[in-house]
Amino acid sequence: QVQLQESGPGLVEPSGTLSLTCAVSDGSISSSNWWSWVRQPPGKGLEWIGQIYHNGRTDYNPSLKSRVTISIDKSKLQFSLKLTSVTAADTAVYYCVLNGAFSLASWGQGTLVTVSS
Amino acid sequence: EIVLTQSPGALSLSPGEETTLSCRASQSVSSRYVAWYQQKAGQAPRLLIYGTSNRATGIPDRFSGSGSETDFTLTITRLEPEDFAVYYCQQFSSPPMYTFGQGTKLEIK
């Protein structure tokens, strides 16, 4: 089963850019798969951020679209998330996910990103 | 945007009991597009059910899903101690978008 591991700064300053990377354990990054980012503010529910296909096609949550970029680097077996102009409301645990059939099948362990000065 | 409303928000039960969790959509959703997740404290969510009624790999058969159009349910029979967690329903819609219910917290009595 594929393993996913998020990495990146745990603290980002307000108005800055949040950047995370998800390492994929095997060559499935190059297969016909969709990969997503999901976040969860402390003590709250889940919010889908967006997804990327192996060929680079992306879809984003309309509420975040103007600030989000998801990219993929198959040579490095990873995909990435950038979220610009962050505020305290962007403080959350961020998960990278392998999509399943209209579902989110395999999740990384998550990484907490705090927006604070 | 389709809104999912889960009920109850929380409930307390004892091991061995059976429970049914509800997820209601603000408009009709294809049964292919509904999934359920379990999340334990400090852990990532785990996919339980996809396509309304299909168990994900390794999910015990005491978990079952059903429903159609706007009303979907997750039933857990013979509750085990490890089943006490938060459960989320999810739907997929076009243009591509995943949305989640607010969650149901299942607590041990």
Side-chain angles (χ1 to χ4, degrees):
Chain A
Q1 184 176 353
V2 66
Q3 303 295 317
L4 305 174
Q5 179 66 59
E6 305 88 352
S7 62
L11 181 65
V12 181
E13 291 195 350
S15 76
T17 297
L18 180 159
S19 296
L20 296 175
T21 296
C22 181
V24 179
S25 62
D26 62 22
S28 58
I29 190 86
S30 297
S31 301
S32 301
N33 289 315
W34 286 92
W35 306 86
S36 283
W37 287 96
V38 176
R39 70 180 183 178
Q40 184 172 36
K44 297 187 178 180
L46 301 165
E47 180 180 35
W48 180 76
I49 299 169
Q51 64 182 8
I52 189 163
Y53 197 45
H54 71 101
N55 64 2
R57 175 186 162 179
T58 54
D59 298 297
Y60 298 126
N61 186 324
S63 69
L64 297 169
K65 187 174 183 177
S66 63
R67 299 193 291 131
V68 173
T69 302
I70 297 175
S71 58
I72 192 166
D73 187 335
K74 289 178 283 186
S75 67
K76 295 183 178 179
L77 302 185
Q78 66 185 36
F79 63 105
S80 300
L81 169 70
K82 289 190 186 299
L83 181 66
T84 61
S85 304
V86 297
T87 70
D90 296 308
T91 293
V93 175
Y94 286 77
Y95 297 100
C96 59
V97 187
L98 167 61
N99 292 22
F102 306 110
S103 59
L104 301 163
S106 295
W107 298 61
Q109 66 184 27
T111 187
L112 174 63
V113 179
T114 301
V115 178
S116 175
S117 55
Chain B
E1 177 182 327
I2 297 176
V3 176
L4 300 179
T5 302
Q6 292 187 239
S7 61
L11 71 165
S12 296
L13 294 171
S14 300
E17 292 192 275
E18 175 175 320
T19 187
T20 298
L21 310 183
S22 173
C23 178
R24 179 160 290 177
S26 58
Q27 56 187 279
S28 184
V29 178
S30 168
S31 61
R32 293 188 301 158
Y33 296 165
V34 174
W36 290 88
Y37 301 84
Q38 176 193 68
Q39 186 177 32
K40 298 179 182 179
Q43 297 185 18
R46 176 175 70 147
L47 177 65
L48 297 175
I49 301 287
Y50 65 95
T52 294
S53 60
N54 302 287
R55 277 187 298 276
T57 303
I59 302 303
D61 60 7
R62 64 179 182 275
F63 291 90
S64 63
S66 65
S68 63
E69 299 196 23
T70 60
D71 291 296
F72 298 88
T73 59
L74 174 70
T75 297
I76 314 171
T77 60
R78 305 181 308 277
L79 281 166
E80 299 284 345
E82 62 266 28
D83 297 337
F84 293 90
V86 179
Y87 292 84
Y88 294 95
C89 60
Q90 164 252 298
Q91 69 88 30
F92 172 87
S93 57
S94 291
M97 174 76 175
Y98 290 87
T99 56
F100 297 90
Q102 82 281 14
T104 291
K105 186 173 184 179
L106 179 56
E107 298 174 312
I108 193 165
K109 185 182 288 184

